[in-house]
Amino acid sequence: MKIICVGRNYAEHAKELNNPVPEKPLLFLKPDTAQLLENGPLYYPGFTKELHYEVEILLKICKNGKFIKPRFAQDYYKEVSVGIDFTARDIQRLCKEKGHPWEIAKSWNNSAAIGKFIPKEDAKNKNGHIEFSLQKNKKIVQKGLSSNMITSFDELISYISQYFTLLRGDVIFTGTPKGVGEVQNGDIFEAFIGAESLLTCQIK
Ligand code: MG
């Protein structure tokens, strides 16, 4: 499986890191070795001094496809969850300054914490949108609403599948809302869709 991540998909988050809002979705990949599953702990990596959390809605691809039209995109995912795109922000800043790729900041071992997947219909609020949030040590640090995404799930699947064939089991990280921040050793993160806890992760 592969993990496809979307950057700057919420205007308020792009603003907090002084980034322009992209005209097209900004994509990067994480390999399967980046997965952190089953609420496993994350060991603070030795190569960064500024580890950040980014909570995101995840889509699990259930059918192979490429060049998918937005109107058919719903057929390609049945389940959603929440995850944390752990980012070495100090290294990402250096990569950006030099115009280098982001993988060493974003795609290292266990940098993609993946929650329990639930049927997409169960994830929606009464308006048909997904509300999600992240708690750090029992305090809410990020709150998001899928309707605030710059590019919708269906448009993302369509765009991504022009470049990368989507395979059953692939996971899309759909971007983080505002409120990203620093991770410290000992922190405990818990991520929710609505009131349902789908992921916990302790930093060791
Ligand atoms: Mg992210």
Side-chain angles (χ1 to χ4, degrees):
M1 65 84 77
K2 61 184 173 294
I3 299 166
I4 307 101
C5 301
V6 183
R8 302 177 199 165
N9 201 20
Y10 291 80
E12 294 285 310
H13 166 63
K15 219 196 281 178
E16 75 182 344
L17 294 183
N18 293 316
N19 288 316
V21 173
E23 283 167 26
K24 287 181 176 173
L26 189 165
L27 303 182
F28 59 94
L29 299 182
K30 297 193 188 221
D32 57 359
T33 48
Q35 290 181 92
L36 179 63
L37 295 170
E38 294 174 359
N39 299 320
L42 177 69
Y43 293 92
Y44 197 112
F47 48 75
T48 177
K49 295 204 157 40
E50 194 184 352
L51 182 63
H52 271 201
Y53 54 81
E54 299 186 355
V55 72
E56 315 201 359
I57 298 172
L58 311 185
L59 312 179
K60 188 188 248 178
I61 297 299
C62 62
K63 184 169 140 179
N64 299 355
K66 52 178 139 182
F67 301 107
I68 300 161
K69 294 208 163 64
R71 68 177 189 274
F72 299 124
Q74 287 287 329
D75 299 342
Y76 289 81
Y77 74 102
K78 293 193 179 80
E79 294 181 315
V80 302
S81 188
V82 271
I84 304 175
D85 168 18
F86 283 109
T87 302
R89 195 70 75 200
D90 47 355
I91 297 177
Q92 188 193 27
R93 204 174 295 122
L94 288 176
C95 293
K96 281 188 203 164
E97 279 169 20
K98 294 183 176 167
H100 288 177
W102 290 3
E103 277 80 357
I104 59 168
K106 285 279 199 182
S107 306
W108 35 273
N109 293 337
N110 299 333
S111 60
I114 293 178
K116 185 178 81 146
F117 282 88
I118 58 172
K120 64 184 174 191
E121 294 312 323
D122 297 353
K124 293 175 183 170
N125 67 13
K126 61 182 190 312
N127 300 318
H129 306 307
I130 298 177
E131 293 170 30
F132 63 113
S133 61
L134 181 69
Q135 293 185 4
K136 176 178 147 177
N137 306 325
K138 300 276 178 199
K139 280 196 186 131
I140 293 183
V141 287
Q142 284 190 278
K143 256 171 124 168
L145 188 61
S146 58
S147 52
N148 291 330
M149 290 189 304
I150 294 167
T151 307
S152 69
F153 297 146
D154 293 355
E155 295 284 346
L156 284 177
I157 285 175
S158 176
Y159 183 77
I160 289 167
S161 73
Q162 293 179 50
Y163 298 92
F164 310 112
T165 300
L166 290 171
L167 299 177
R168 233 173 103 96
D170 288 349
V171 172
I172 301 177
F173 275 62
T174 59
T176 196
K178 72 171 178 190
V180 303
E182 275 203 61
V183 172
Q184 309 291 348
N185 215 333
D187 284 344
I188 297 177
F189 291 92
E190 190 169 7
F192 298 80
I193 286 182
E196 191 173 357
S197 173
L198 298 175
L199 172 70
T200 59
C201 179
Q202 182 174 13
I203 311 302
K204 291 194 167 177

